[in-house]
């Protein structure tokens, strides 16, 4: 499938992000013994694997980020660290990640909507992104409900770090 260069870069970031998401949940499952966290992570891991598969259908292997090992390690660490502290930290982490992903997907969808004559491939990309975005919003909302209260000062610092790390990852994956 031939894609505009800007969209290929966006899809490269999406693919890298879904790799990271799969490994976040794997990191959570490697550490957490909390049954609610494990059930949550197991369900969401299945969804993220589906997203990853859908993005792999859209983006040729040679066009994917060459930093995939970095995204796997970063995702795993992002899942492990809050799991060591406790369930609320896990849920705050997922909430901040999914808030970032929601905005990231929304920007791509809006850009696609500005194209007057979308071909069938671009319609398929837009539909895939919209479906993934809907799932990510549901993940964010569920994590928010399960956290039950706002993060404390240390958790807010962690969440800011995760959000900033997501921004850096997108910038890197877009190019490499």
């Amino acid at each position: 499938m031939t894609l505009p260069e800007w969209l290929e870069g966006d899809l490269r970031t999406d693919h890298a992000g879904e790799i990271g998401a799969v490994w976040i949940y794997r990191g959570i499952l490697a550490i957490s013994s909390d049954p609610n966290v494990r059930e949550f992570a197991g369900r969401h891991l299945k969804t993220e694997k589906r997203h990853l598969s859908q993005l792999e259908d859209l983006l040729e292997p040679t066009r994917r980020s060459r930093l995939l090992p970095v995204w796997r390690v970063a995702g795993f660490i992002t899942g492990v660290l809050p799991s060591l502290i406790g369930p609320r930290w896990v849920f705050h982490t997922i909430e901040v990640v999914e808030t970032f992903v929601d905005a990231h997907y929304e920007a791509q969808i809006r850009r696609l909507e500005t194209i007057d004559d979308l071909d069938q491939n671009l319609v398929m990309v837009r539909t895939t992104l919209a479906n993934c975005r809907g799932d990510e919003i549901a993940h964010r909302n569920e994590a928010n409900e399960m956290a039950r209260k706002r993060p404390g000062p240390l958790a807010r610092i962690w969440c800011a770090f995760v959000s900033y790390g997501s921004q850096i990852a997108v910038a890197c994956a877009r190019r490499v």
Side-chain angles (χ1 to χ4, degrees):
M1 168 182 338
T2 304
L3 300 169
E5 188 175 326
W6 66 267
L7 182 56
E8 193 171 272
D10 281 347
L11 291 175
R12 188 169 33 256
T13 68
D14 299 339
H15 179 262
E18 295 298 344
I19 290 276
V22 164
W23 283 90
I24 287 171
Y25 288 113
R26 286 180 176 169
I28 292 167
L29 290 167
I31 298 298
S32 181
S33 60
D34 183 279
N36 292 327
V37 170
R38 292 189 62 77
E39 189 275 330
F40 172 90
R43 274 188 301 107
H44 293 267
L45 175 58
K46 289 178 186 173
T47 304
E48 300 301 351
K49 284 180 175 181
R50 187 181 77 241
H51 292 174
L52 180 58
S53 175
Q54 291 169 336
L55 287 165
E56 287 176 343
D57 290 343
L58 297 175
L59 194 62
E60 296 177 24
T62 59
R63 310 313 276 164
R64 297 174 189 161
S65 175
R66 293 184 304 263
L67 301 175
L68 294 181
V70 173
W71 309 138
R72 288 180 186 103
V73 170
F76 192 76
I77 291 168
T78 303
V80 164
L81 291 179
S83 297
L84 291 169
I85 298 169
R88 282 191 30 234
W89 275 57
V90 169
F91 298 129
H92 292 315
T93 301
I94 298 303
E95 183 180 4
V96 75
V97 167
E98 299 298 18
T99 297
F100 178 84
V101 173
D102 170 26
H104 184 67
Y105 279 150
E106 181 182 28
Q108 294 170 41
I109 294 164
R110 285 186 183 209
R111 187 165 184 189
L112 284 166
E113 289 172 345
T114 65
I115 299 172
D116 290 329
D117 189 25
L118 284 181
D119 67 24
Q120 186 176 356
N121 288 333
L122 295 183
V123 169
M124 183 176 61
V125 169
R126 183 182 64 193
T127 300
T128 298
L129 294 177
N131 290 338
C132 289
R133 179 177 178 240
D135 290 338
E136 307 298 6
I137 290 169
H139 292 185
R140 178 196 63 208
N141 293 345
E142 184 180 356
N144 182 26
E145 289 174 21
M146 293 184 81
R148 294 197 177 97
K149 60 183 187 178
R150 301 307 318 148
L154 289 177
R156 283 196 306 271
I157 292 169
W158 166 250
C159 289
F161 177 76
V162 169
S163 181
Y164 184 66
S166 297
Q167 293 172 37
I168 291 170
V170 163
C172 293
R174 188 174 311 283
R175 291 170 181 78
V176 183

